[in-house]
Amino acid sequence: MYGYHGKYLRINLTEGTVKVEKLDLDLAKKWIGGRGLGTKFFVDEVDPKVDALSPENKLIAVTGPMTGTTAPTGGRYMVVTKSPLTGTIASSNSGGYWGAELKFAGYDMIIVEGRSEKPVYVMIEDDKVEIRDASHVWGKVTSDATRTLMKEVPEKSRVMTIGPAGEKQSLMAAVMNEESRAAGRSGVGAVMGSKNLKAVTVRGTQKVAVSDEAGLKEVIKTCNTKIRENGVTGQGLPAYGTAVLVNIINENGAFPTNNFQSSQFATAEQISGELMAEKYLVKKDPCYRCPIACGRYTKVDDIEGGGPEYETIWAFGGDCGVDDMGAIIKANYWCNEMGLDTISTGTTIAAAMELKQKGLLDGEDLGGLPLEFGSAEAIVEWTKKIGMREGLGDKMADGSYRLCDAFGVPELSMSVKKQELPAYDPRGIQGQGLSYATSNRGGCHVRGYMISPEILGLPEKLDRFALEDKAPWTKIFQDFTAFIDSSGLCLFTSFAMGAPDYAALFNAIVGTDLDGNGVLEAGERIYNLERVFNLEAGITPSEDTLPKRLLEDAIAEGPSKGFVNELSKMLPEYYQLRGWGTDGVPSKERKDQLGV
Amino acid sequence: MQIKVRLFATLREGRGKELSKDYPEGISPGGVIQDLEIPEEEVAILLVNGRDGRLDQVLEEGDTVSIFPPVGGG
């Protein structure tokens, strides 16, 4: 068996049992791994109508066949569950080293079921797996929990943990690993918290067997050359990290500002990647076997740690009207410590700022804290309040949709399917709007990164305001991404690598004969499986939409002035290309063709 | 005529962030790039007043030209 170990752990926290089960290799090859394989297991085992925070929901941490191999960036894993934030299938990806270590321990994934009566953590050391008491780390922030556990688990273990936000079941809670890496989105940390599972530590000493050692070396050489010679992966990301996007998106007038009330931030230079490199960067902070090394490690005053990423800088910066990079670094730090998704946390604070601006928060106890757009103190302090569910932070911890809905103005939540939108205004980038609206986990940029063709010109430049061709491009990006998310590699490799490169890696590792089209077909199969789950979970196609503001209120100033997102002109073609019928439901023929 | 040039990432090295320069009528972004001694292969994204620009388009008084090397993220 190559690429996969062919076994996984089933951990039942209600019963306190751990079982090693055999993985069906044909099933694995069909669903690849990671997002695809995790979703297949989840869909087969869990009722789509399940309450996401009940013991009946399951949490799957799953690697891909390339995880733990020598393939570039092969350290990624997915957390698959039903999202308590969106009610959709959730799969949140994380880098760092935990995923590769799970593979070294001899497992392709772990399935966590039930709920423990008391806080526990799981210790994995190759064949030895124990469910242990975690009462001494319950309540601890991410770094403290990680360092405390490191003293009692085998040396060189990797720690995946939740922070206080996950324990308190914030719907924006992340699953953290290596202190600053996050399976960030869709509230997967809340599911872990609902199971009374604080952490999973893992240490392994095994190798991942590959089908064709010599062939793999050659393919990796080719891929590494492409990564090195590509301007984005070879120069831009290594030099500045993702933060370099601040100026690009802002220059295009598509940098949402003050909760998407405008689309260009006058002082963006103050929170740019260039400024971060000049004033705050300590060192690079790369993941397992990554030749790109986009991860940053920054320091301000007495606070230091991993990040911040572009999305984080935008969420706490432009979207909250804050141009204080030091404060953004601190807010990012507290998100890591509390175990919070930085996109949803920053944008929920931005939504609260608009509630305050509109006079809707009168009478609410703000505990003397500011909540005005532009307040550096607000982004740091409210992040802590959200993590601890204190004061208004308790309501904010459930995300911007539920917060704004509680004040009778759900339309002020800049979200899709209740998950907060990331850092690109779809009024100025039309295809990205279609991608947001049709993402299977709600508001998200990494399910079909249309920024690549519409802004960066990769693999070719599209007119960002044009509507034609956006549906086929979005579909291809979504399907391609679903494969990469399943492989165990980082999505950023796709700036330099194409579908045939992933097929070549997959074949050398697993021993198959997939081609570029097979990569896209596997991705499309996964996309449809997720769609079918969401429909069965009660998420109707009417939710394939964008916030009213982005569909009706034209951008008032800047290079994108005068535009709204023209979703209704792109969506019918998209449904047609997917074989979903005019009602957005996958046809039986399409499902049969794909084997869903 | 006055043209504002905004440079980003590595293109700032030795050139600065923002220049306001006097250019003859008919100048294009290609001419500006040549004047600033930026190798053409280092120009990945070119904007004129925040919109997609072309190397050969004729610039007008007061235009802003933004130039980025190959960069990206997510």
Side-chain angles (χ1 to χ4, degrees):
Chain A
M1 192 163 282
Y2 302 113
Y4 311 92
H5 284 296
K7 60 187 167 80
Y8 59 90
L9 292 172
R10 187 179 294 277
I11 300 163
N12 188 304
L13 295 177
T14 306
E15 309 289 339
T17 56
V18 178
K19 276 192 257 174
V20 180
E21 296 185 355
K22 207 173 147 224
L23 177 68
D24 175 345
L25 188 61
D26 289 332
L27 187 82
K29 284 179 185 169
K30 180 174 175 181
W31 298 98
I32 312 303
R35 179 174 154 193
L37 188 64
T39 302
K40 177 62 181 162
F41 265 81
F42 190 85
V43 165
D44 285 351
E45 295 188 9
V46 182
D47 178 356
K49 302 267 190 207
V50 72
D51 172 354
L53 296 175
S54 71
E56 287 72 36
N57 195 7
K58 298 188 186 188
L59 185 90
I60 303 179
V62 51
T63 64
M66 300 185 197
T67 311
T69 68
T70 49
T73 77
R76 309 211 55 109
Y77 73 100
M78 271 285 175
V79 179
V80 176
T81 189
K82 180 173 172 176
S83 165
L85 180 70
T86 62
T88 66
I89 189 82
S91 45
S92 284
N93 193 280
S94 184
Y97 296 82
W98 191 91
E101 199 69 34
L102 182 68
K103 214 61 185 286
F104 300 153
Y107 307 104
D108 296 312
M109 65 176 166
I110 59 172
I111 300 177
V112 181
E113 307 174 334
R115 171 189 283 156
S116 169
E117 258 182 48
K118 290 180 179 165
V120 291
Y121 76 96
V122 174
M123 189 287 307
I124 303 170
E125 183 191 21
D126 290 317
D127 294 342
K128 191 170 147 194
V129 184
E130 294 173 1
I131 300 173
R132 294 179 172 178
D133 175 58
S135 50
H136 60 305
V137 283
W138 198 255
K140 284 190 186 297
V141 295
T142 300
S143 65
D144 193 6
T146 301
R147 291 168 201 182
T148 303
L149 290 175
M150 281 301 285
K151 289 179 193 150
E152 57 195 75
V153 296
E155 241 186 289
K156 296 184 181 169
S157 288
R158 299 289 179 179
V159 180
M160 168 223 264
T161 185
I162 52 170
E167 296 173 13
K168 293 171 191 300
Q169 299 177 26
S170 160
L171 304 189
M172 312 188 292
V175 170
M176 308 297 299
N177 56 283
E178 286 91 62
E179 300 190 17
S180 64
R181 294 282 162 190
R185 304 226 67 193
S186 309
V188 294
V191 176
M192 196 159 150
S194 75
K195 299 192 172 306
N196 267 325
L197 178 62
K198 176 70 177 176
V200 180
T201 75
V202 61
R203 169 68 182 145
T205 56
Q206 298 163 52
K207 271 192 130 178
V208 182
V210 300
S211 168
D212 177 5
E213 292 263 7
L216 180 61
K217 264 190 187 159
E218 282 307 304
V219 181
I220 288 174
K221 213 168 130 189
T222 306
C223 292
N224 277 335
T225 303
K226 287 188 179 183
I227 289 169
R228 197 173 50 244
E229 289 178 355
N230 178 280
V232 173
T233 51
Q235 297 161 37
L237 282 170
Y240 296 100
T242 56
V244 75
L245 280 176
V246 170
N247 276 328
I248 301 171
I249 306 302
N250 195 56
E251 285 292 294
N252 278 281
F255 191 71
T257 302
N258 293 0
N259 200 33
F260 288 74
Q261 292 185 83
S262 59
S263 305
Q264 203 167 39
F265 190 40
T267 46
E269 183 66 36
Q270 297 305 313
I271 57 169
S272 65
E274 288 89 335
L275 180 114
M276 189 166 92
E278 193 187 313
K279 291 201 170 161
Y280 298 99
L281 182 68
V282 177
K283 60 181 179 183
K284 292 182 193 176
D285 188 20
C287 298
Y288 172 82
R289 277 195 179 269
C290 181
I292 306 169
C294 72
R296 307 286 100 172
Y297 189 96
T298 55
K299 185 173 191 308
V300 60
D301 301 334
D302 57 343
I303 274 178
E304 60 184 285
E309 301 290 339
Y310 166 64
E311 297 294 334
T312 311
I313 294 171
W314 162 77
F316 287 105
D319 206 38
C320 289
V322 171
D323 62 5
D324 180 335
M325 190 60 138
I328 293 168
I329 291 172
K330 288 177 189 173
N332 176 69
Y333 170 86
W334 282 109
C335 279
N336 289 341
E337 288 293 65
M338 294 293 168
L340 282 167
D341 172 30
T342 61
I343 296 177
S344 286
T345 303
T347 53
T348 297
I349 294 172
M353 286 173 165
E354 187 168 350
L355 292 175
K356 178 90 189 326
Q357 182 188 47
K358 292 202 157 36
L360 293 163
L361 273 177
D362 270 358
E364 281 290 320
D365 181 16
L366 302 183
L369 290 178
L371 192 55
E372 280 75 31
F373 283 114
S375 168
E377 186 188 353
I379 61 169
V380 180
E381 297 307 318
W382 284 108
T383 297
K384 293 187 219 169
K385 292 276 181 199
I386 290 169
M388 299 306 288
R389 278 195 180 273
E390 288 172 358
L392 183 66
D394 185 26
K395 277 186 189 149
M396 292 162 79
D398 289 332
S400 68
Y401 183 87
R402 288 167 177 84
L403 173 75
C404 294
D405 193 41
F407 289 94
V409 283
E411 67 275 16
L412 293 189
S413 165
M414 295 296 117
S415 58
V416 170
K417 299 181 177 78
K418 302 187 179 67
Q419 175 159 278
E420 290 73 18
L421 289 173
Y424 315 90
D425 195 319
R427 289 171 292 191
I429 312 167
Q430 294 291 323
Q432 190 59 49
L434 177 62
S435 184
Y436 286 157
T438 57
S439 152
N440 282 332
R441 66 170 188 181
C444 169
H445 60 298
V446 284
R447 287 285 128 113
Y449 192 58
M450 287 297 288
I451 304 308
S452 197
E454 294 189 282
I455 297 284
L456 307 174
L458 296 170
E460 63 181 83
K461 185 76 176 75
L462 303 181
D463 178 347
R464 63 193 173 100
F465 297 110
L467 304 178
E468 56 268 24
D469 293 340
K470 296 298 167 70
W473 275 88
T474 298
K475 177 182 175 295
I476 286 176
F477 264 71
Q478 288 174 337
D479 294 344
F480 189 28
T481 301
F483 182 91
I484 300 166
D485 281 348
S486 303
S487 71
L489 296 197
C490 173
L491 185 55
F492 284 0
T493 52
S494 64
F495 286 122
M497 287 162 50
D501 297 312
Y502 295 94
L505 282 170
F506 189 76
N507 293 337
I509 290 169
V510 179
T512 43
D513 57 355
L514 202 67
D515 61 11
N517 288 331
V519 163
L520 293 177
E521 191 188 319
E524 183 168 12
R525 182 177 297 123
I526 294 161
Y527 214 85
N528 277 271
L529 182 70
E530 293 172 335
R531 177 75 171 186
V532 170
F533 177 88
N534 287 348
L535 290 166
E536 288 174 0
I539 310 296
T540 68
S542 65
E543 293 188 57
D544 295 342
T545 189
L546 295 170
K548 205 167 138 229
R549 174 172 289 169
L550 309 181
L551 297 172
E552 294 180 6
D553 300 350
I555 291 177
E557 296 290 341
S560 302
K561 183 178 174 177
F563 285 90
V564 294
N565 186 276
E566 305 272 8
L567 179 66
S568 63
K569 294 181 182 160
M570 298 181 281
L571 197 57
E573 186 190 359
Y574 174 86
Y575 282 170
Q576 189 195 10
L577 287 166
R578 282 231 170 269
W580 285 359
T582 51
D583 57 355
V585 176
S587 64
K588 186 173 179 308
E589 293 78 14
R590 196 80 200 102
K591 284 193 283 185
D592 288 348
Q593 268 170 8
L594 290 166
V596 173
Chain B
M1 61 181 183
Q2 286 291 309
I3 299 291
K4 196 199 276 185
V5 186
R6 288 164 60 75
L7 301 172
F8 297 92
T10 46
L11 298 181
R12 289 178 172 180
E13 287 162 16
R15 299 186 187 95
K17 287 182 201 175
E18 190 172 306
L19 323 161
S20 196
K21 284 192 81 166
D22 201 21
Y23 284 110
E25 297 284 330
I27 187 88
S28 66
V32 171
I33 285 161
Q34 216 171 20
D35 173 58
L36 296 174
E37 295 178 357
I38 298 171
E40 222 171 272
E41 66 271 16
E42 280 187 35
V43 181
I45 300 171
L46 171 70
L47 304 176
V48 176
N49 303 325
R51 297 290 189 95
D52 293 344
R54 291 191 327 272
L55 284 171
D56 61 354
Q57 79 183 77
V58 176
L59 294 173
E60 287 173 21
E61 169 78 31
D63 277 350
T64 298
V65 178
S66 307
I67 310 168
F68 297 86
V71 281

